[in-house]
Amino acid sequence: MTRPDYAEKIPNNVGLAEDRRLQRALESWQPDFLSWWESMGPALPTQDVYLRTATDVRGEGWATFGHVPMLDYRWGIFLADKNPGRRIAFGAHKGEPAWQKVPGEYRAELQRLIVIQGDTEPASVEQQRNLGATAPSLYDLRNLFQVNVEEGRHLWAMVYLLHAYFGREGRDEAAELLHRNSGSEDSPRILGAFNEETPDWLSFFMFTYFTDRDGKYQLGTLKESAFDPLSRTCEFMLKEEAHHMFVGTTGVDRVVGRTAELMREYDTEEVAAHGGIPLDVIQKYINFHYSVSLDLFGSEQSTNAANYFTAGLKGRWQEERRRDDHLLTEDGALVDVVKEGVLTTDEVPALLALNHDLRTEYVKDCQSGMKRWNRVLEQAGIDRRLALPHIGFNRQVGIFSDHHITPAGQVVGADSWQAKESSWLPTEADKAHVRSLMRPVYEPGKIAGWIAPPSNGINGQPFEYEYVHLP
Protein backbone atom coordinates (compact mmCIF):
# COMPACT_ATOMS: atom_id res chain seq x y z
CA MET A 1 0.00 0.00 0.00
CA THR A 2 1.32 3.42 -1.00
CA ARG A 3 1.54 5.91 1.85
CA PRO A 4 -0.20 9.25 1.28
CA ASP A 5 1.97 11.82 -0.43
CA TYR A 6 1.08 15.27 0.82
CA ALA A 7 3.31 16.93 -1.73
CA GLU A 8 0.78 15.83 -4.35
CA LYS A 9 -1.97 18.15 -5.52
CA ILE A 10 -4.42 15.40 -4.57
CA PRO A 11 -3.18 13.52 -1.45
CA ASN A 12 -3.71 9.80 -1.98
CA ASN A 13 -2.50 6.32 -1.17
CA VAL A 14 -3.55 4.76 -4.49
CA GLY A 15 -0.40 5.59 -6.47
CA LEU A 16 -2.11 8.33 -8.45
CA ALA A 17 1.20 9.71 -9.75
CA GLU A 18 1.79 6.41 -11.54
CA ASP A 19 -1.35 6.88 -13.65
CA ARG A 20 -0.92 10.26 -15.31
CA ARG A 21 -4.14 10.02 -17.32
CA LEU A 22 -6.22 9.38 -14.21
CA GLN A 23 -4.33 12.06 -12.30
CA ARG A 24 -5.05 14.64 -15.01
CA ALA A 25 -8.73 13.68 -15.07
CA LEU A 26 -9.08 14.10 -11.31
CA GLU A 27 -7.08 17.34 -11.35
CA SER A 28 -9.50 18.66 -13.97
CA TRP A 29 -12.43 17.73 -11.69
CA GLN A 30 -10.82 19.39 -8.66
CA PRO A 31 -11.55 23.05 -9.65
CA ASP A 32 -15.22 22.16 -10.14
CA PHE A 33 -15.24 20.60 -6.68
CA LEU A 34 -13.68 23.70 -5.12
CA SER A 35 -16.14 25.91 -6.97
CA TRP A 36 -19.01 23.77 -5.65
CA TRP A 37 -17.55 24.00 -2.13
CA GLU A 38 -17.37 27.79 -2.29
CA SER A 39 -20.90 28.16 -3.64
CA MET A 40 -22.71 25.31 -1.85
CA GLY A 41 -20.48 24.47 1.12
CA PRO A 42 -20.39 26.23 4.51
CA ALA A 43 -21.63 29.80 4.12
CA LEU A 44 -20.08 31.26 7.28
CA PRO A 45 -16.69 32.90 6.52
CA THR A 46 -13.80 31.58 8.63
CA GLN A 47 -10.07 32.16 8.87
CA ASP A 48 -9.34 28.58 9.88
CA VAL A 49 -10.85 25.63 11.77
CA TYR A 50 -9.34 23.06 14.14
CA LEU A 51 -9.80 20.08 11.84
CA ARG A 52 -8.85 16.43 11.76
CA THR A 53 -7.17 15.54 8.47
CA ALA A 54 -6.54 12.02 7.16
CA THR A 55 -2.81 11.37 6.85
CA ASP A 56 -2.70 7.56 6.86
CA VAL A 57 -5.09 4.62 7.02
CA ARG A 58 -3.19 2.65 9.62
CA GLY A 59 -4.03 2.32 13.31
CA GLU A 60 -4.29 5.54 15.29
CA GLY A 61 -2.04 7.42 12.88
CA TRP A 62 -4.69 8.07 10.28
CA ALA A 63 -5.52 11.61 11.41
CA THR A 64 -3.78 14.78 12.53
CA PHE A 65 -5.31 17.87 14.15
CA GLY A 66 -4.58 21.52 13.51
CA HIS A 67 -6.06 24.84 12.43
CA VAL A 68 -6.61 24.75 8.67
CA PRO A 69 -8.28 27.26 6.31
CA MET A 70 -11.29 25.41 4.98
CA LEU A 71 -10.38 25.78 1.29
CA ASP A 72 -6.88 24.48 2.05
CA TYR A 73 -8.17 21.27 3.64
CA ARG A 74 -6.36 18.32 2.06
CA TRP A 75 -9.22 16.34 0.60
CA GLY A 76 -7.73 13.14 -0.68
CA ILE A 77 -8.24 9.57 -1.80
CA PHE A 78 -7.64 6.89 0.82
CA LEU A 79 -8.33 3.17 0.67
CA ALA A 80 -7.79 0.72 3.52
CA ASP A 81 -4.81 -1.59 3.12
CA LYS A 82 -5.22 -4.30 0.51
CA ASN A 83 -5.57 -7.93 1.59
CA PRO A 84 -3.92 -9.88 -1.27
CA GLY A 85 -5.70 -13.09 -0.26
CA ARG A 86 -9.18 -11.65 0.10
CA ARG A 87 -11.96 -13.82 -1.30
CA ILE A 88 -15.62 -13.12 -1.97
CA ALA A 89 -17.64 -14.07 1.11
CA PHE A 90 -21.17 -14.46 -0.28
CA GLY A 91 -23.38 -14.92 -3.31
CA ALA A 92 -22.86 -16.86 -6.51
CA HIS A 93 -19.13 -15.99 -6.61
CA LYS A 94 -18.44 -17.02 -3.00
CA GLY A 95 -14.89 -18.31 -2.58
CA GLU A 96 -13.51 -16.65 -5.72
CA PRO A 97 -10.75 -14.01 -5.44
CA ALA A 98 -12.08 -10.50 -4.86
CA TRP A 99 -12.30 -8.43 -8.04
CA GLN A 100 -9.65 -5.80 -8.70
CA LYS A 101 -11.42 -4.69 -11.89
CA VAL A 102 -15.11 -4.24 -12.66
CA PRO A 103 -16.65 -7.36 -14.25
CA GLY A 104 -18.39 -6.35 -17.46
CA GLU A 105 -21.65 -8.07 -16.54
CA TYR A 106 -21.98 -5.99 -13.36
CA ARG A 107 -20.63 -2.70 -14.64
CA ALA A 108 -23.94 -0.80 -14.74
CA GLU A 109 -25.08 -2.04 -11.33
CA LEU A 110 -21.79 -1.19 -9.62
CA GLN A 111 -21.70 2.24 -11.18
CA ARG A 112 -25.23 2.93 -10.00
CA LEU A 113 -24.42 1.89 -6.42
CA ILE A 114 -21.37 4.15 -6.36
CA VAL A 115 -23.29 7.10 -7.82
CA ILE A 116 -26.10 6.79 -5.25
CA GLN A 117 -23.59 6.63 -2.39
CA GLY A 118 -21.60 9.50 -3.86
CA ASP A 119 -24.72 11.63 -4.27
CA THR A 120 -25.47 11.56 -0.53
CA GLU A 121 -22.10 13.05 0.44
CA PRO A 122 -22.33 16.55 -1.09
CA ALA A 123 -26.09 16.57 -0.40
CA SER A 124 -25.62 16.67 3.36
CA VAL A 125 -23.07 19.50 3.02
CA GLU A 126 -25.64 21.48 1.05
CA GLN A 127 -28.35 20.75 3.61
CA GLN A 128 -26.10 22.06 6.40
CA ARG A 129 -24.73 25.05 4.49
CA ASN A 130 -26.24 27.79 6.64
CA LEU A 131 -25.98 26.20 10.10
CA GLY A 132 -22.74 28.02 10.92
CA ALA A 133 -24.70 31.27 11.23
CA THR A 134 -26.54 29.92 14.29
CA ALA A 135 -23.92 27.70 15.98
CA PRO A 136 -24.49 27.36 19.75
CA SER A 137 -20.72 27.34 20.48
CA LEU A 138 -17.34 27.27 18.76
CA TYR A 139 -17.08 23.60 19.76
CA ASP A 140 -20.26 22.82 17.85
CA LEU A 141 -19.25 25.02 14.93
CA ARG A 142 -16.02 23.08 14.57
CA ASN A 143 -17.87 19.75 14.69
CA LEU A 144 -20.20 20.94 11.93
CA PHE A 145 -17.25 21.86 9.73
CA GLN A 146 -15.47 18.57 10.52
CA VAL A 147 -18.53 16.67 9.34
CA ASN A 148 -18.69 18.84 6.22
CA VAL A 149 -15.07 18.37 5.12
CA GLU A 150 -15.27 14.63 5.68
CA GLU A 151 -18.44 14.39 3.61
CA GLY A 152 -16.45 16.25 0.96
CA ARG A 153 -13.69 13.66 1.21
CA HIS A 154 -16.23 10.85 0.93
CA LEU A 155 -17.39 12.47 -2.30
CA TRP A 156 -13.77 12.36 -3.50
CA ALA A 157 -13.66 8.65 -2.60
CA MET A 158 -16.61 7.84 -4.86
CA VAL A 159 -15.41 10.14 -7.64
CA TYR A 160 -12.05 8.36 -7.67
CA LEU A 161 -13.80 5.03 -8.23
CA LEU A 162 -15.93 6.50 -11.02
CA HIS A 163 -12.89 8.00 -12.76
CA ALA A 164 -10.58 5.05 -12.23
CA TYR A 165 -12.88 2.19 -13.18
CA PHE A 166 -15.82 3.42 -15.28
CA GLY A 167 -14.29 5.40 -18.16
CA ARG A 168 -16.14 8.26 -19.81
CA GLU A 169 -19.49 7.29 -18.25
CA GLY A 170 -17.87 7.42 -14.83
CA ARG A 171 -16.37 10.85 -15.51
CA ASP A 172 -19.77 12.13 -16.66
CA GLU A 173 -21.43 10.77 -13.51
CA ALA A 174 -18.73 12.39 -11.37
CA ALA A 175 -19.50 15.74 -12.97
CA GLU A 176 -23.22 15.27 -12.33
CA LEU A 177 -22.55 14.77 -8.61
CA LEU A 178 -21.72 18.47 -8.45
CA HIS A 179 -24.63 19.59 -10.63
CA ARG A 180 -27.45 18.10 -8.58
CA ASN A 181 -28.34 20.12 -5.47
CA SER A 182 -30.29 19.28 -2.34
CA GLY A 183 -33.87 20.50 -2.57
CA SER A 184 -33.53 21.68 -6.17
CA GLU A 185 -36.75 21.48 -8.19
CA ASP A 186 -34.88 20.87 -11.43
CA SER A 187 -31.96 18.68 -10.28
CA PRO A 188 -32.64 17.29 -6.80
CA ARG A 189 -30.51 14.74 -5.00
CA ILE A 190 -31.37 11.11 -5.73
CA LEU A 191 -32.70 10.06 -2.30
CA GLY A 192 -35.59 11.86 -0.61
CA ALA A 193 -34.01 12.35 2.82
CA PHE A 194 -31.22 14.35 1.20
CA ASN A 195 -33.64 16.91 -0.17
CA GLU A 196 -35.08 17.72 3.27
CA GLU A 197 -34.09 20.95 4.99
CA THR A 198 -31.71 21.05 7.93
CA PRO A 199 -32.75 24.51 9.17
CA ASP A 200 -31.68 24.30 12.82
CA TRP A 201 -29.23 22.54 15.11
CA LEU A 202 -31.75 20.13 16.60
CA SER A 203 -32.40 18.93 13.03
CA PHE A 204 -28.63 18.68 12.48
CA PHE A 205 -28.14 16.52 15.55
CA MET A 206 -31.06 14.30 14.52
CA PHE A 207 -29.67 14.06 10.98
CA THR A 208 -26.21 13.04 12.17
CA TYR A 209 -27.73 10.53 14.58
CA PHE A 210 -30.35 8.92 12.34
CA THR A 211 -29.44 9.64 8.71
CA ASP A 212 -25.67 9.30 9.07
CA ARG A 213 -26.37 6.05 10.92
CA ASP A 214 -28.18 4.84 7.81
CA GLY A 215 -24.97 5.80 5.98
CA LYS A 216 -23.01 3.59 8.34
CA TYR A 217 -25.13 0.59 7.42
CA GLN A 218 -25.10 1.29 3.69
CA LEU A 219 -21.31 1.63 3.79
CA GLY A 220 -21.18 -1.58 5.82
CA THR A 221 -22.91 -3.51 3.04
CA LEU A 222 -20.61 -2.02 0.40
CA LYS A 223 -17.57 -2.86 2.53
CA GLU A 224 -18.46 -6.52 1.90
CA SER A 225 -18.46 -6.00 -1.87
CA ALA A 226 -16.60 -8.38 -4.14
CA PHE A 227 -15.25 -5.28 -5.93
CA ASP A 228 -12.18 -4.79 -3.76
CA PRO A 229 -11.49 -1.07 -4.37
CA LEU A 230 -15.06 -0.25 -3.31
CA SER A 231 -14.74 -2.46 -0.24
CA ARG A 232 -11.48 -0.84 0.84
CA THR A 233 -12.83 2.66 0.19
CA CYS A 234 -15.88 2.07 2.38
CA GLU A 235 -13.82 0.47 5.13
CA PHE A 236 -11.87 3.70 5.54
CA MET A 237 -14.96 5.90 5.18
CA LEU A 238 -16.54 4.08 8.14
CA LYS A 239 -13.75 5.39 10.38
CA GLU A 240 -14.75 8.96 9.59
CA GLU A 241 -18.49 8.23 9.70
CA ALA A 242 -18.18 7.28 13.38
CA HIS A 243 -17.45 10.92 14.28
CA HIS A 244 -20.57 12.11 12.48
CA MET A 245 -22.75 9.81 14.56
CA PHE A 246 -20.89 10.89 17.71
CA VAL A 247 -21.86 14.48 16.94
CA GLY A 248 -25.51 13.48 16.69
CA THR A 249 -25.54 11.21 19.72
CA THR A 250 -23.86 13.66 22.08
CA GLY A 251 -25.68 16.63 20.56
CA VAL A 252 -29.08 15.18 21.46
CA ASP A 253 -27.61 14.14 24.85
CA ARG A 254 -26.87 17.78 25.53
CA VAL A 255 -30.22 19.09 24.29
CA VAL A 256 -32.09 16.59 26.47
CA GLY A 257 -29.80 17.37 29.40
CA ARG A 258 -30.44 21.10 29.18
CA THR A 259 -34.19 20.57 28.84
CA ALA A 260 -34.11 18.40 31.96
CA GLU A 261 -32.21 21.13 33.84
CA LEU A 262 -34.82 23.71 32.89
CA MET A 263 -37.68 21.36 33.83
CA ARG A 264 -36.22 20.93 37.30
CA GLU A 265 -35.28 24.57 37.74
CA TYR A 266 -38.76 25.84 36.83
CA ASP A 267 -40.74 22.74 37.88
CA THR A 268 -42.54 22.53 34.55
CA GLU A 269 -42.51 20.65 31.25
CA GLU A 270 -43.27 23.91 29.48
CA VAL A 271 -39.66 24.99 29.09
CA ALA A 272 -40.19 26.90 25.83
CA ALA A 273 -40.90 30.05 27.80
CA HIS A 274 -37.54 29.61 29.55
CA GLY A 275 -35.47 29.25 26.39
CA GLY A 276 -35.49 25.46 26.15
CA ILE A 277 -36.81 22.81 23.77
CA PRO A 278 -39.70 20.83 25.33
CA LEU A 279 -39.45 17.05 25.44
CA ASP A 280 -42.61 16.83 23.31
CA VAL A 281 -40.83 18.73 20.54
CA ILE A 282 -37.68 16.61 20.86
CA GLN A 283 -39.87 13.51 20.51
CA LYS A 284 -41.51 14.92 17.38
CA TYR A 285 -38.10 15.56 15.82
CA ILE A 286 -37.09 11.98 16.64
CA ASN A 287 -40.28 10.71 15.02
CA PHE A 288 -39.66 12.68 11.83
CA HIS A 289 -35.96 12.04 11.31
CA TYR A 290 -36.20 8.36 12.22
CA SER A 291 -39.08 7.73 9.82
CA VAL A 292 -37.40 9.64 6.96
CA SER A 293 -34.20 7.68 7.53
CA LEU A 294 -36.05 4.35 7.51
CA ASP A 295 -37.24 5.16 3.99
CA LEU A 296 -33.60 5.10 2.86
CA PHE A 297 -33.55 1.32 3.30
CA GLY A 298 -36.04 0.89 0.46
CA SER A 299 -38.85 -1.64 0.17
CA GLU A 300 -39.04 -4.53 2.59
CA GLN A 301 -38.98 -6.96 -0.33
CA SER A 302 -36.54 -6.11 -3.12
CA THR A 303 -35.42 -8.04 -6.16
CA ASN A 304 -32.68 -5.44 -6.71
CA ALA A 305 -31.20 -6.16 -3.27
CA ALA A 306 -31.42 -9.90 -3.98
CA ASN A 307 -29.63 -9.47 -7.29
CA TYR A 308 -26.91 -7.29 -5.74
CA PHE A 309 -26.30 -9.95 -3.08
CA THR A 310 -26.23 -12.88 -5.49
CA ALA A 311 -23.86 -11.00 -7.78
CA GLY A 312 -21.54 -10.18 -4.86
CA LEU A 313 -21.99 -6.40 -5.15
CA LYS A 314 -23.49 -5.75 -1.69
CA GLY A 315 -23.40 -8.05 1.31
CA ARG A 316 -25.25 -7.99 4.59
CA TRP A 317 -24.15 -6.08 7.66
CA GLN A 318 -21.15 -7.99 9.08
CA GLU A 319 -21.60 -10.67 6.45
CA GLU A 320 -18.65 -12.81 7.45
CA ARG A 321 -19.88 -13.10 11.04
CA ARG A 322 -23.18 -14.62 9.91
CA ARG A 323 -23.64 -18.33 10.59
CA ASP A 324 -25.30 -19.52 7.43
CA ASP A 325 -24.26 -20.57 3.94
CA HIS A 326 -23.98 -16.93 2.67
CA LEU A 327 -26.03 -17.98 -0.37
CA LEU A 328 -29.56 -17.77 1.10
CA THR A 329 -31.09 -19.63 -1.84
CA GLU A 330 -32.99 -22.01 0.47
CA ASP A 331 -33.62 -19.68 3.43
CA GLY A 332 -36.72 -17.79 4.49
CA ALA A 333 -37.22 -14.61 6.53
CA LEU A 334 -40.11 -12.87 8.26
CA VAL A 335 -40.99 -9.40 7.02
CA ASP A 336 -43.51 -6.86 8.28
CA VAL A 337 -46.78 -6.52 6.39
CA VAL A 338 -50.25 -5.05 6.86
CA LYS A 339 -53.12 -7.46 6.21
CA GLU A 340 -56.75 -6.41 6.49
CA GLY A 341 -55.78 -3.41 8.58
CA VAL A 342 -53.62 -5.41 11.02
CA LEU A 343 -49.84 -5.40 11.42
CA THR A 344 -48.42 -8.88 11.05
CA THR A 345 -45.53 -10.74 9.38
CA ASP A 346 -45.11 -12.94 6.34
CA GLU A 347 -42.38 -15.42 5.51
CA VAL A 348 -40.65 -14.68 2.21
CA PRO A 349 -37.43 -15.88 0.56
CA ALA A 350 -34.47 -14.50 2.53
CA LEU A 351 -32.93 -13.08 -0.63
CA LEU A 352 -35.94 -10.82 -1.11
CA ALA A 353 -35.80 -9.61 2.51
CA LEU A 354 -32.27 -8.16 2.56
CA ASN A 355 -33.44 -4.53 2.94
CA HIS A 356 -35.59 -5.66 5.85
CA ASP A 357 -32.59 -7.49 7.35
CA LEU A 358 -30.40 -4.37 7.14
CA ARG A 359 -33.13 -2.14 8.51
CA THR A 360 -33.57 -4.48 11.48
CA GLU A 361 -29.87 -4.07 12.35
CA TYR A 362 -30.27 -0.28 12.06
CA VAL A 363 -33.32 -0.20 14.33
CA LYS A 364 -31.46 -2.12 17.05
CA ASP A 365 -28.60 0.37 16.79
CA CYS A 366 -30.96 3.36 17.01
CA GLN A 367 -32.34 2.00 20.27
CA SER A 368 -28.97 2.67 21.88
CA GLY A 369 -29.59 6.40 21.56
CA MET A 370 -32.95 6.11 23.26
CA LYS A 371 -31.28 4.35 26.19
CA ARG A 372 -28.66 7.10 26.45
CA TRP A 373 -31.12 9.95 26.27
CA ASN A 374 -33.51 8.31 28.70
CA ARG A 375 -30.62 7.76 31.11
CA VAL A 376 -30.02 11.51 31.00
CA LEU A 377 -33.66 12.07 32.00
CA GLU A 378 -33.52 9.40 34.68
CA GLN A 379 -30.38 10.84 36.24
CA ALA A 380 -32.05 14.26 36.29
CA GLY A 381 -35.04 12.82 38.15
CA ILE A 382 -37.41 13.28 35.20
CA ASP A 383 -40.08 10.59 34.76
CA ARG A 384 -40.72 11.21 31.03
CA ARG A 385 -39.06 8.97 28.45
CA LEU A 386 -38.28 9.26 24.75
CA ALA A 387 -39.01 6.43 22.31
CA LEU A 388 -38.63 5.39 18.71
CA PRO A 389 -41.97 5.33 16.88
CA HIS A 390 -43.17 2.16 15.18
CA ILE A 391 -41.27 1.37 11.97
CA GLY A 392 -44.47 1.90 9.97
CA PHE A 393 -44.99 5.45 11.22
CA ASN A 394 -44.89 8.28 8.63
CA ARG A 395 -43.41 6.13 5.88
CA GLN A 396 -43.24 7.13 2.22
CA VAL A 397 -41.41 4.04 0.93
CA GLY A 398 -42.23 0.34 1.22
CA ILE A 399 -45.21 -1.63 2.49
CA PHE A 400 -46.18 0.97 5.10
CA SER A 401 -46.41 3.86 2.63
CA ASP A 402 -49.99 2.89 1.77
CA HIS A 403 -51.13 2.93 5.41
CA HIS A 404 -51.51 5.33 8.33
CA ILE A 405 -49.75 3.92 11.38
CA THR A 406 -49.43 5.66 14.74
CA PRO A 407 -46.16 5.88 16.69
CA ALA A 408 -47.56 3.16 18.96
CA GLY A 409 -48.10 0.86 15.98
CA GLN A 410 -51.85 1.09 15.41
CA VAL A 411 -53.27 1.11 11.89
CA VAL A 412 -55.76 3.99 11.65
CA GLY A 413 -57.74 5.81 9.00
CA ALA A 414 -56.71 9.01 7.26
CA ASP A 415 -59.05 11.13 9.39
CA SER A 416 -57.65 9.78 12.66
CA TRP A 417 -54.12 10.34 11.40
CA GLN A 418 -54.76 13.92 10.39
CA ALA A 419 -56.43 14.66 13.70
CA LYS A 420 -53.32 13.58 15.63
CA GLU A 421 -50.54 14.43 13.18
CA SER A 422 -49.63 17.68 14.95
CA SER A 423 -48.96 15.78 18.18
CA TRP A 424 -46.63 13.34 16.43
CA LEU A 425 -44.66 15.44 13.94
CA PRO A 426 -43.10 18.92 14.25
CA THR A 427 -45.61 21.68 13.53
CA GLU A 428 -44.76 25.05 12.04
CA ALA A 429 -45.07 26.49 15.55
CA ASP A 430 -42.61 23.89 16.89
CA LYS A 431 -40.13 24.65 14.11
CA ALA A 432 -40.52 28.38 14.62
CA HIS A 433 -39.76 28.04 18.33
CA VAL A 434 -36.66 25.95 17.68
CA ARG A 435 -35.49 28.46 15.06
CA SER A 436 -36.07 31.32 17.50
CA LEU A 437 -33.47 29.77 19.81
CA MET A 438 -30.85 29.53 17.09
CA ARG A 439 -28.70 32.53 17.94
CA PRO A 440 -24.97 32.21 17.38
CA VAL A 441 -22.49 32.07 20.25
CA TYR A 442 -18.95 32.54 18.97
CA GLU A 443 -17.17 33.49 22.20
CA PRO A 444 -14.77 30.75 23.39
CA GLY A 445 -16.13 28.91 26.43
CA LYS A 446 -19.67 30.25 26.01
CA ILE A 447 -22.73 28.32 24.85
CA ALA A 448 -26.36 28.95 23.91
CA GLY A 449 -28.97 28.51 26.63
CA TRP A 450 -30.93 25.69 24.95
CA ILE A 451 -28.09 23.15 25.04
CA ALA A 452 -25.66 21.91 27.70
CA PRO A 453 -21.89 22.11 27.16
CA PRO A 454 -20.03 18.91 26.20
CA SER A 455 -18.37 16.81 28.87
CA ASN A 456 -15.07 16.88 26.93
CA GLY A 457 -13.39 18.99 24.29
CA ILE A 458 -11.79 17.78 21.06
CA ASN A 459 -8.45 15.94 20.92
CA GLY A 460 -7.67 16.74 24.54
CA GLN A 461 -8.44 20.45 24.16
CA PRO A 462 -10.77 22.11 26.68
CA PHE A 463 -14.27 23.29 25.76
CA GLU A 464 -12.92 26.87 26.08
CA TYR A 465 -10.42 26.33 23.27
CA GLU A 466 -10.78 28.61 20.23
CA TYR A 467 -11.72 25.88 17.79
CA VAL A 468 -12.67 28.27 14.99
CA HIS A 469 -11.01 31.57 14.12
CA LEU A 470 -13.54 33.91 12.55
CA PRO A 471 -12.62 36.94 10.40
Side-chain angles (χ1 to χ4, degrees):
M1 170 61 70
T2 306
R3 286 189 176 273
D5 183 352
Y6 266 70
E8 290 286 343
K9 187 174 182 180
I10 302 171
N12 71 92
N13 68 347
V14 295
L16 196 57
E18 299 164 14
D19 188 337
R20 299 300 299 172
R21 183 178 178 182
L22 176 59
Q23 185 176 40
R24 285 194 300 270
L26 287 168
E27 286 179 352
S28 71
W29 185 83
Q30 190 174 40
D32 291 336
F33 170 81
L34 293 174
S35 176
W36 166 83
W37 180 268
E38 288 197 270
S39 62
M40 298 300 295
L44 183 73
T46 57
Q47 289 184 8
D48 54 49
V49 183
Y50 187 68
L51 293 173
R52 176 181 73 178
T53 304
T55 57
D56 202 348
V57 298
R58 296 174 179 83
E60 296 302 315
W62 65 272
T64 58
F65 289 81
H67 280 91
V68 181
M70 293 271 273
L71 268 178
D72 293 344
Y73 185 80
R74 301 312 309 276
W75 287 285
I77 300 162
F78 303 101
L79 276 65
D81 283 341
K82 185 175 181 179
N83 174 7
R86 180 173 179 253
R87 293 187 174 270
I88 301 167
F90 62 94
H93 300 283
K94 178 185 172 186
E96 298 176 14
W99 309 324
Q100 302 306 319
K101 296 182 178 179
V102 178
E105 64 267 36
Y106 302 133
R107 183 182 183 86
E109 291 86 351
L110 266 172
Q111 180 175 295
R112 180 63 176 167
L113 287 172
I114 291 168
V115 166
I116 290 173
Q117 182 62 46
D119 193 71
T120 68
E121 313 297 352
S124 60
V125 176
E126 293 164 353
Q127 288 172 296
Q128 297 156 15
R129 170 171 167 73
N130 295 310
L131 286 178
T134 56
S137 72
L138 288 184
Y139 166 91
D140 291 293
L141 184 61
R142 176 269 173 196
N143 279 342
L144 167 69
F145 292 153
Q146 184 69 52
V147 169
N148 291 162
V149 295
E150 288 179 351
E151 300 290 17
R153 203 204 65 73
H154 295 176
L155 171 60
W156 267 99
M158 295 297 111
V159 164
Y160 161 73
L161 294 176
L162 290 170
H163 274 265
Y165 296 96
F166 293 91
R168 177 174 292 280
E169 286 184 5
R171 293 192 294 275
D172 290 345
E173 290 285 8
E176 283 301 309
L177 290 173
L178 298 176
H179 293 156
R180 287 187 290 271
N181 294 132
S182 177
S184 166
E185 290 188 8
D186 298 326
S187 301
R189 291 297 175 182
I190 296 170
L191 301 178
F194 293 90
N195 290 301
E196 298 285 349
E197 289 185 324
T198 309
D200 58 71
W201 280 77
L202 181 58
S203 297
F204 172 64
F205 292 139
M206 294 293 176
F207 183 98
T208 47
Y209 184 82
F210 288 112
T211 308
D212 279 328
R213 194 168 303 275
D214 162 79
K216 163 188 169 180
Y217 282 87
Q218 301 300 341
L219 289 173
T221 64
L222 295 174
K223 184 176 78 71
E224 305 291 339
S225 179
F227 181 42
D228 202 45
L230 175 60
S231 170
R232 289 159 51 213
T233 296
C234 292
E235 183 177 348
F236 185 68
M237 287 168 69
L238 281 164
K239 286 187 176 184
E240 295 175 321
E241 200 73 28
H243 174 261
H244 307 180
M245 292 180 292
F246 166 83
V247 169
T249 303
T250 57
V252 181
D253 275 358
R254 293 158 53 215
V255 176
V256 172
R258 181 56 179 154
T259 295
E261 287 178 4
L262 291 169
M263 289 172 67
R264 292 192 62 180
E265 182 178 351
Y266 293 99
D267 193 24
T268 180
E269 292 190 4
E270 305 302 323
V271 299
H274 306 289
I277 302 177
L279 288 180
D280 285 343
V281 174
I282 295 173
Q283 180 65 66
K284 291 180 188 182
Y285 273 65
I286 289 171
N287 291 348
F288 174 76
H289 285 272
Y290 177 63
S291 61
V292 168
S293 298
L294 287 174
D295 281 346
L296 293 170
F297 288 88
S299 298
E300 286 77 6
Q301 298 185 54
S302 169
T303 54
N304 280 343
N307 292 336
Y308 291 152
F309 181 89
T310 300
L313 309 185
K314 282 180 70 174
R316 291 169 293 174
W317 177 253
Q318 296 184 334
E319 178 68 48
E320 294 188 45
R321 297 187 186 182
R322 305 280 186 125
R323 295 184 177 181
D324 55 35
D325 65 4
H326 304 279
L327 301 175
L328 306 183
T329 51
E330 306 297 325
D331 295 352
L334 292 176
V335 300
D336 304 292
V337 295
V338 180
K339 286 187 176 179
E340 298 179 357
V342 177
L343 288 163
T344 183
T345 57
D346 255 357
E347 184 170 4
V348 302
L351 278 171
L352 292 179
L354 291 170
N355 286 346
H356 185 276
D357 177 88
L358 187 63
R359 190 186 71 189
T360 300
E361 296 291 335
Y362 169 81
V363 169
K364 287 191 292 188
D365 199 359
C366 286
Q367 291 286 2
S368 64
M370 297 303 112
K371 292 178 182 177
R372 280 184 65 120
W373 304 333
N374 285 331
R375 195 179 309 122
V376 172
L377 294 173
E378 182 180 5
Q379 291 173 348
I382 304 297
D383 292 334
R384 285 280 306 276
R385 296 293 181 265
L386 300 166
L388 294 177
H390 187 273
I391 54 172
F393 172 75
N394 191 42
R395 297 293 304 283
Q396 308 301 315
V397 175
I399 188 66
F400 298 117
S401 62
D402 294 329
H403 303 278
H404 297 288
I405 299 173
T406 70
Q410 294 178 308
V411 182
V412 298
D415 290 345
S416 297
W417 168 271
Q418 290 168 5
K420 296 284 289 181
E421 183 177 1
S422 63
S423 65
W424 296 331
L425 292 169
T427 64
E428 290 306 314
D430 295 329
K431 297 174 187 177
H433 171 65
V434 173
R435 285 197 302 268
S436 75
L437 301 176
M438 301 293 115
R439 298 168 187 163
V441 178
Y442 298 144
E443 187 178 346
K446 302 293 185 183
I447 193 164
W450 56 270
I451 185 171
S455 55
N456 297 294
I458 297 160
N459 190 39
Q461 304 291 352
F463 172 64
E464 298 79 11
Y465 186 69
E466 197 166 358
Y467 291 103
V468 181
H469 294 134
L470 300 172

